[in-house]
Amino acid sequence: MEVIVENSDVLLYLDNKRKYLVKARKGEVLHTHKGFIRVDNLIGKPFGVKIKSSMDVEFVALKPTLKDYLQKIARKTQIIYPKDAGLILLYTNIGPGSRVVEGGTGSGALAGLLASYVKPDGKVYSYETREEFLKTAEKNLRRMGISEFIVLKKADLTQGIEEKDVDAVVLDMPTPWLVVPHAYNALKNTGTLASFSPTIEQVIKTVEAMRKNGFLNIETFECLVRRYQVEAGKTRPETLTVSHTGYLTFGRKFLL
Amino acid sequence: MEVIVENSDVLLYLDNKRKYLVKARKGEVLHTHKGFIRVDNLIGKPFGVKIKSSMDVEFVALKPTLKDYLQKIARKTQIIYPKDAGLILLYTNIGPGSRVVEGGTGSGALAGLLASYVKPDGKVYSYETREEFLKTAEKNLRRMGISEFIVLKKADLTQGIEEKDVDAVVLDMPTPWLVVPHAYNALKNTGTLASFSPTIEQVIKTVEAMRKNGFLNIETFECLVRRYQVEAGKTRPETLTVSHTGYLTFGRKFLL
Amino acid sequence: MEVIVENSDVLLYLDNKRKYLVKARKGEVLHTHKGFIRVDNLIGKPFGVKIKSSMDVEFVALKPTLKDYLQKIARKTQIIYPKDAGLILLYTNIGPGSRVVEGGTGSGALAGLLASYVKPDGKVYSYETREEFLKTAEKNLRRMGISEFIVLKKADLTQGIEEKDVDAVVLDMPTPWLVVPHAYNALKNTGTLASFSPTIEQVIKTVEAMRKNGFLNIETFECLVRRYQVEAGKTRPETLTVSHTGYLTFGRKFLL
Amino acid sequence: MEVIVENSDVLLYLDNKRKYLVKARKGEVLHTHKGFIRVDNLIGKPFGVKIKSSMDVEFVALKPTLKDYLQKIARKTQIIYPKDAGLILLYTNIGPGSRVVEGGTGSGALAGLLASYVKPDGKVYSYETREEFLKTAEKNLRRMGISEFIVLKKADLTQGIEEKDVDAVVLDMPTPWLVVPHAYNALKNTGTLASFSPTIEQVIKTVEAMRKNGFLNIETFECLVRRYQVEAGKTRPETLTVSHTGYLTFGRKFLL
């Protein structure tokens, strides 16, 4: 049974809306509306145990997953949602061993997500021009324990891509259409380009650039996820939903 | 540049609706409404090249991805869609190295998909009671080149799970609620249970069983994906969409 | 050109999120974050004119529509949305001259909406058991100027319906299935029953009761409306949407 | 009880997918896969009665509603769906007594639908340039018994609108933005313009034209309706849905 050790990250779970990502180290205390919790008391106990707050409210000490780290990052900045990330994985064929170019890095969330699927033999090359984002991303990725599979690069994807023969290029940036010709050159034959954009005008320009620059099987999707309240006699979708994050466009390189 | 060799699988692409999965071997001929193609002419050429049919129509020889294999299987039987598979990956935290119990095997599509993310060090244990499905699945998984990461088992998940300390249990079967207590025993502490069900009554029973048997952070979703036609002056969602495949339910084990 | 007279209702429009329903009467002042507006200055001016607040911000004096009244009521209580009301109209065939039984009255929003389509020769009989709701509804309906087409009744639909040969019965109440046999008796031959319910369990019970009690062409729908931000270069759906209000069920009486 | 008389339209209902709109006249016979039905046998019987086919299969003789007529028209040509028509009614405030300009007429479906809500005192002015559509529309509207509330006009809305002080202008045509200035002139102060368009580029142009030509409270929506299969133990949305018909844009005139 996996045990919480010093410096383990722990997700303290109260309910589906209240989950706290903390580190099990000496003196660490989590303060909540339901009282405080001495996190260091968890050291030596197995993940999954219950722990009571000072107000005698029960929390459970879960082991954080990739998604939990992403949600923590998401609180501070706009990141790709699991629904979109899942489609990107399936449509790009990114998996263990893949070499991927990605950008802009932003908070590092998408780079970290992709890296956790390309390990142990693959690599993610993540481009970002803004120094302050690179610093934040580096911190986030180190915490996720995924840094070794990522190369952070201070460079502009619209100016070119240094890597060759990569399996996929994944774009989450304002002008993806400017990267399309560079993506063609960086991709191995029949590699995949993926682009995430909030507005339909970005999509139209990107698809046009892909048609002109050696991509086929071009497809654009949007993905909606609706959460349900499930309880006998009260089952129904939740009232409010995030109904738009962005459009996803995919295409495959062919030889001109 | 990756080259097509004897016995390579090739995806002959005409347009987004006409893609043909063929094997590049001596004498292989693909017959289509746009004429026939001598597939063996592709041997020795790089993936991504164009090839003309007997009616002088251009096809492109893509390298098939996981998704292409799944879509081929999907033509014969109902399988999990990429949209749902993507959410399963993100919410279960299945990735390189994971050990996963899955069932029922059916055509093997979901087992194959999970296996392609757990490799090279993980394993998928796939349960199925029906002999004929096991045979079909074995054939499908061999073609996908993924067999070594999967253990096909002729056994009934509602009767128990032999594996211990697995990272995730993924269910796509008519009575998932009967597997919930066994899933609890098979999962390592704070592992994830995922269940896919077409009807809301299945969801209600499964969520109730999870609440009673040591799971928390229980969440139910449905995922809708809509495809767009993107072309300057004609951009719009496609008219018809698959608006329901099934509901997805996730939950994490905790220590009782 | 229609002119604002004393006691006219006016909708003061600032932007799509800030609209104020006021009455043009002596001394009436509207206070907003953008300054105050002397509403009585509008008397004698045509609907559609601009008027400036004390902070020199321009508002427009629109004539309130049915929907504007409903949205004002909606701020205080849960009411049927335009999307659902529109489907009810189309599927029940309620229109000028129709006689309709409706309940529970609640705030009167649905009764008022239906009444505005059955006038000048039709009538809505609206049932409600709770005295305080009847009072609120009466006030709301008087303001909408629609009272003469509605009969408010303090009675319980689950105990029976007094009217005969009505064109439609429209239910928005917790236990619609208990009303189904009474609806059958109240409806003229081939009249329509409509029911709005937030949970799927209510729908299942209601459909079952309809099947057993002389209804056919039974159909259940849900309706999702998504708002767009439209602006060259920035066009996209809004992020958050009301993704669930309730399920709509319709059926037609036949002769047993 | 309303009785079927000679020349009554009757909707012969077998199940939700098989409904036949027929006329009860001497010698009329309906041929179906479930045998034939002598429709004239229904004369003198009440709507809602059962009638058996030659193969002893039971049908029910419903009275057709507006929606049933629309669905019959829809089989031959693309028409506005009930979901969209419902939103148009609610957002335009069209109801008994309204005067409405509409176009293009097409099959007459939308004109007929609006007319059935403006009667008995309102009027719909429907514009169409193509002679053959006007003929079809006239026939359809006569059958629906709604002709007297509609003025069919062979004229081009992009060239101007003759009517003044109308309550609403409703457009379902390829270039609605060209009609916007004319709509402004035709509408009474604070009247509503509604436009239905399949592509997002049409929407962008129309919204821009509305912003420049005296409209505010401009809102664009799309409406999705999903049908459910409701049956204890098998409840779920249907698999395939019409996920896109068109975008709806609304705006209100103000005084410049």
Side-chain angles (χ1 to χ4, degrees):
Chain A
M1 210 178 286
E2 196 173 1
V3 167
I4 299 165
V5 297
E6 180 127 25
N7 287 322
S8 287
D9 280 339
V10 175
L11 187 77
L12 283 170
Y13 174 93
L14 176 58
D15 58 36
N16 280 358
K17 289 186 177 156
R18 287 175 289 185
K19 294 175 282 185
Y20 307 89
L21 187 57
V22 295
K23 203 173 266 298
R25 60 188 159 197
K26 286 274 155 63
E28 187 82 8
V29 176
L30 172 72
H31 293 274
T32 79
H33 288 287
K34 298 293 179 185
F36 65 87
I37 294 181
R38 306 204 74 93
V39 183
D40 52 6
N41 282 348
L42 285 166
I43 297 173
K45 298 207 175 116
F47 280 108
V49 286
K50 296 176 198 157
I51 181 172
K52 284 195 172 164
S53 76
S54 60
M55 286 167 67
D56 214 36
V57 175
E58 220 165 62
F59 287 66
V60 174
L62 295 175
K63 185 174 181 190
T65 66
L66 174 61
K67 183 175 64 69
D68 297 322
Y69 284 108
L70 295 179
Q71 286 178 344
K72 189 183 160 66
I73 297 173
R75 258 173 239 151
K76 296 180 194 162
T77 171
Q78 182 64 36
I79 67 151
I80 289 226
Y81 276 61
K83 66 184 179 71
D84 299 315
L87 271 188
I88 290 175
L89 283 175
L90 270 287
Y91 274 84
T92 54
N93 210 30
I94 292 171
S98 297
R99 291 175 64 247
V100 181
V101 166
E102 183 262 352
T105 310
S107 62
L110 184 53
L113 187 148
L114 296 175
S116 72
Y117 289 95
V118 306
K119 68 180 185 182
D121 302 319
K123 194 75 89 181
V124 175
Y125 304 89
S126 185
Y127 284 65
E128 175 62 66
T129 55
R130 297 160 298 176
E131 189 65 33
E132 71 278 19
F133 276 96
L134 281 170
K135 276 181 191 157
T136 307
E138 200 176 357
K139 207 182 106 196
N140 284 332
L141 295 167
R142 215 181 314 119
R143 180 150 204 196
M144 292 165 71
I146 204 85
S147 297
E148 61 177 305
F149 308 108
I150 300 174
V151 180
L152 290 177
K153 304 180 72 162
K154 189 165 185 306
D156 183 353
L157 276 174
T158 69
Q159 299 303 309
I161 297 177
E162 293 169 324
E163 291 72 25
K164 293 289 168 208
D165 284 316
V166 301
D167 296 284
V169 174
V170 181
L171 306 175
D172 175 11
M173 46 187 297
T175 57
W177 57 90
L178 298 178
V179 185
V180 170
H182 307 310
Y184 185 88
N185 291 329
L187 284 166
K188 69 179 189 189
N189 46 339
T190 90
T192 305
L193 173 60
S195 176
F196 174 87
S197 295
T199 79
I200 193 72
E201 287 93 347
Q202 292 170 306
V203 172
I204 295 170
K205 284 182 188 166
T206 304
V207 167
E208 202 168 322
M210 289 169 74
R211 286 210 187 96
K212 285 186 187 154
N213 285 281
F215 290 90
L216 48 67
N217 201 10
I218 302 169
E219 299 178 289
T220 297
F221 303 98
E222 66 175 336
C223 181
L224 289 86
V225 165
R226 201 156 64 140
R227 190 185 292 267
Y228 276 71
Q229 166 189 308
V230 179
E231 200 181 327
K234 298 180 184 173
T235 305
R236 46 166 291 174
E238 286 197 346
T239 301
L240 274 179
T241 297
V242 171
S243 84
H244 184 71
T245 51
Y247 301 99
L248 286 165
T249 299
F250 302 100
R252 298 189 68 186
K253 172 177 176 172
F254 68 100
L255 299 180
L256 290 169
Chain B
M1 208 177 287
E2 195 173 1
V3 167
I4 299 165
V5 298
E6 179 129 23
N7 286 322
S8 285
D9 280 336
V10 176
L11 187 76
L12 283 170
Y13 174 92
L14 176 59
D15 58 34
N16 280 358
K17 289 190 177 154
R18 287 175 290 183
K19 294 175 282 185
Y20 307 89
L21 187 56
V22 295
K23 203 171 265 300
R25 59 188 159 198
K26 287 274 156 64
E28 187 82 8
V29 176
L30 173 70
H31 293 274
T32 79
H33 288 287
K34 298 292 179 186
F36 66 86
I37 293 179
R38 306 205 72 94
V39 183
D40 50 8
N41 283 348
L42 286 166
I43 297 172
K45 301 209 173 111
F47 280 108
V49 289
K50 295 176 198 158
I51 181 170
K52 284 195 172 163
S53 75
S54 59
M55 288 167 67
D56 215 37
V57 175
E58 220 164 63
F59 286 66
V60 175
L62 295 174
K63 185 174 180 189
T65 66
L66 173 62
K67 183 176 65 68
D68 298 321
Y69 285 107
L70 294 180
Q71 285 176 345
K72 190 184 158 65
I73 297 174
R75 259 174 237 149
K76 296 180 194 161
T77 170
Q78 182 64 36
I79 67 152
I80 288 224
Y81 277 61
K83 66 184 180 73
D84 299 315
L87 272 188
I88 289 175
L89 283 175
L90 269 288
Y91 275 84
T92 55
N93 210 29
I94 292 172
S98 297
R99 292 175 65 246
V100 180
V101 166
E102 183 263 352
T105 309
S107 62
L110 183 54
L113 187 148
L114 297 175
S116 71
Y117 290 95
V118 305
K119 66 181 187 181
D121 302 319
K123 194 75 90 182
V124 174
Y125 304 89
S126 185
Y127 283 65
E128 175 62 64
T129 54
R130 297 160 298 176
E131 189 64 35
E132 69 279 19
F133 276 95
L134 281 171
K135 277 182 191 157
T136 305
E138 201 176 357
K139 208 182 105 197
N140 284 332
L141 294 167
R142 216 180 312 119
R143 180 150 203 195
M144 293 166 70
I146 205 83
S147 296
E148 62 177 304
F149 308 107
I150 300 173
V151 181
L152 290 178
K153 306 181 71 161
K154 188 164 187 305
D156 182 354
L157 276 174
T158 67
Q159 299 303 309
I161 297 177
E162 293 169 325
E163 291 71 25
K164 291 291 168 206
D165 284 315
V166 300
D167 295 285
V169 174
V170 181
L171 305 175
D172 176 10
M173 47 186 296
T175 56
W177 57 90
L178 298 179
V179 185
V180 170
H182 307 309
Y184 185 89
N185 292 329
L187 284 166
K188 70 181 187 187
N189 45 339
T190 89
T192 304
L193 173 60
S195 176
F196 174 86
S197 296
T199 78
I200 194 71
E201 286 93 347
Q202 290 169 308
V203 172
I204 296 170
K205 284 182 190 166
T206 304
V207 167
E208 200 167 323
M210 288 168 75
R211 286 209 186 96
K212 284 187 188 154
N213 285 282
F215 290 90
L216 48 65
N217 200 10
I218 301 168
E219 299 179 289
T220 296
F221 302 98
E222 66 174 337
C223 181
L224 288 86
V225 166
R226 203 156 64 141
R227 188 185 293 265
Y228 276 71
Q229 167 188 308
V230 179
E231 200 181 328
K234 298 179 186 172
T235 304
R236 48 166 290 173
E238 286 197 346
T239 302
L240 273 179
T241 296
V242 171
S243 84
H244 185 70
T245 50
Y247 301 99
L248 286 164
T249 298
F250 301 100
R252 298 189 67 186
K253 171 177 175 172
F254 68 101
L255 300 179
L256 290 169
Chain C
M1 209 178 287
E2 195 173 1
V3 166
I4 298 165
V5 298
E6 178 127 26
N7 287 322
S8 285
D9 280 337
V10 175
L11 187 76
L12 284 168
Y13 173 93
L14 176 59
D15 58 34
N16 281 357
K17 289 189 178 156
R18 286 173 292 183
K19 295 175 281 187
Y20 307 89
L21 187 56
V22 295
K23 202 172 267 299
R25 59 188 159 199
K26 286 274 155 62
E28 187 82 8
V29 176
L30 173 71
H31 294 274
T32 79
H33 288 287
K34 299 291 177 185
F36 65 87
I37 293 179
R38 306 204 73 93
V39 183
D40 51 7
N41 283 348
L42 285 166
I43 297 172
K45 301 209 173 112
F47 281 108
V49 288
K50 295 174 198 157
I51 181 171
K52 284 195 172 165
S53 75
S54 60
M55 287 166 68
D56 215 35
V57 175
E58 221 165 60
F59 287 67
V60 175
L62 296 174
K63 184 173 179 190
T65 67
L66 173 61
K67 182 175 65 67
D68 298 321
Y69 285 107
L70 295 180
Q71 286 177 344
K72 191 184 156 67
I73 296 174
R75 258 173 238 149
K76 296 179 193 160
T77 169
Q78 182 64 37
I79 69 152
I80 288 225
Y81 277 61
K83 66 185 179 74
D84 299 315
L87 272 188
I88 290 174
L89 283 175
L90 269 287
Y91 274 85
T92 54
N93 210 30
I94 292 172
S98 298
R99 293 175 63 246
V100 180
V101 166
E102 183 263 352
T105 308
S107 62
L110 183 54
L113 187 147
L114 296 175
S116 72
Y117 290 95
V118 307
K119 67 179 185 182
D121 302 319
K123 194 75 90 182
V124 174
Y125 303 89
S126 185
Y127 283 66
E128 176 61 67
T129 54
R130 297 158 300 176
E131 190 64 34
E132 70 279 18
F133 275 96
L134 280 171
K135 276 182 191 157
T136 305
E138 200 176 358
K139 209 182 105 197
N140 284 332
L141 294 167
R142 215 181 314 118
R143 180 150 203 195
M144 293 165 71
I146 205 82
S147 296
E148 61 177 305
F149 308 107
I150 300 172
V151 181
L152 290 177
K153 306 181 70 161
K154 187 163 188 306
D156 183 353
L157 276 174
T158 66
Q159 299 303 309
I161 297 175
E162 292 168 326
E163 291 71 26
K164 293 288 167 207
D165 285 315
V166 301
D167 295 285
V169 173
V170 180
L171 306 175
D172 175 12
M173 48 187 294
T175 56
W177 58 90
L178 297 179
V179 185
V180 170
H182 308 309
Y184 185 88
N185 292 329
L187 284 166
K188 71 179 187 189
N189 45 339
T190 89
T192 304
L193 172 60
S195 176
F196 174 88
S197 295
T199 77
I200 194 70
E201 287 93 347
Q202 290 169 308
V203 172
I204 295 170
K205 283 182 190 166
T206 305
V207 167
E208 201 167 325
M210 289 169 74
R211 286 209 186 97
K212 283 187 189 154
N213 285 281
F215 290 90
L216 48 67
N217 200 11
I218 301 168
E219 299 178 288
T220 296
F221 302 99
E222 67 175 336
C223 181
L224 288 87
V225 165
R226 202 156 64 141
R227 189 185 294 265
Y228 276 71
Q229 166 188 308
V230 179
E231 202 180 326
K234 299 179 185 172
T235 304
R236 47 166 289 173
E238 287 197 345
T239 301
L240 274 180
T241 296
V242 172
S243 83
H244 185 70
T245 49
Y247 302 98
L248 286 164
T249 299
F250 303 100
R252 298 191 66 188
K253 172 179 174 171
F254 69 102
L255 300 180
L256 292 169
Chain D
M1 210 178 289
E2 195 173 1
V3 166
I4 298 165
V5 297
E6 179 126 26
N7 287 322
S8 286
D9 280 337
V10 176
L11 187 77
L12 284 170
Y13 174 93
L14 176 58
D15 57 36
N16 280 359
K17 290 188 176 153
R18 286 175 290 184
K19 295 174 280 185
Y20 307 90
L21 187 57
V22 296
K23 203 172 267 295
R25 58 188 159 200
K26 285 276 155 62
E28 187 83 9
V29 176
L30 173 72
H31 293 275
T32 79
H33 288 287
K34 298 292 178 186
F36 66 87
I37 294 180
R38 305 204 74 93
V39 182
D40 52 6
N41 282 349
L42 286 166
I43 298 173
K45 301 209 174 111
F47 280 107
V49 286
K50 295 175 198 156
I51 181 171
K52 284 195 172 163
S53 75
S54 60
M55 287 167 68
D56 215 36
V57 175
E58 219 165 62
F59 287 67
V60 174
L62 296 174
K63 186 175 179 188
T65 67
L66 174 61
K67 183 176 63 69
D68 298 322
Y69 285 107
L70 294 179
Q71 286 177 343
K72 190 184 157 66
I73 297 173
R75 259 173 238 150
K76 295 179 194 161
T77 171
Q78 181 65 36
I79 67 153
I80 289 226
Y81 277 60
K83 66 185 180 69
D84 299 314
L87 271 188
I88 290 175
L89 283 174
L90 270 287
Y91 274 84
T92 55
N93 211 29
I94 292 172
S98 298
R99 292 176 64 246
V100 180
V101 167
E102 182 263 352
T105 309
S107 62
L110 183 54
L113 187 146
L114 297 175
S116 72
Y117 289 95
V118 307
K119 68 179 185 183
D121 302 320
K123 194 75 89 182
V124 175
Y125 303 90
S126 185
Y127 283 64
E128 175 62 65
T129 54
R130 298 160 298 178
E131 189 65 35
E132 71 278 18
F133 275 95
L134 281 169
K135 277 182 192 156
T136 306
E138 201 177 357
K139 208 183 105 196
N140 283 333
L141 295 166
R142 214 179 316 118
R143 179 150 205 196
M144 291 165 72
I146 204 84
S147 298
E148 62 177 305
F149 308 107
I150 300 173
V151 181
L152 290 177
K153 306 181 70 161
K154 187 163 187 307
D156 183 353
L157 276 174
T158 68
Q159 298 303 310
I161 297 176
E162 292 169 326
E163 291 72 26
K164 293 288 169 210
D165 284 315
V166 301
D167 296 284
V169 174
V170 181
L171 305 175
D172 175 12
M173 46 187 296
T175 56
W177 57 91
L178 298 178
V179 185
V180 169
H182 307 310
Y184 185 88
N185 292 329
L187 284 166
K188 69 179 188 190
N189 46 340
T190 89
T192 305
L193 173 60
S195 176
F196 174 88
S197 295
T199 77
I200 193 71
E201 286 92 347
Q202 292 170 307
V203 172
I204 295 170
K205 285 182 189 166
T206 304
V207 167
E208 202 168 323
M210 289 169 74
R211 285 210 186 96
K212 285 186 188 154
N213 285 280
F215 290 90
L216 49 67
N217 200 9
I218 302 168
E219 299 179 288
T220 297
F221 303 99
E222 66 175 338
C223 181
L224 287 87
V225 165
R226 202 156 64 141
R227 189 186 292 268
Y228 276 71
Q229 166 189 308
V230 180
E231 200 181 327
K234 299 179 184 171
T235 304
R236 46 166 290 173
E238 286 198 345
T239 301
L240 274 179
T241 296
V242 172
S243 84
H244 184 71
T245 51
Y247 301 99
L248 286 164
T249 298
F250 302 99
R252 299 190 65 187
K253 173 179 175 171
F254 69 100
L255 300 179
L256 291 167

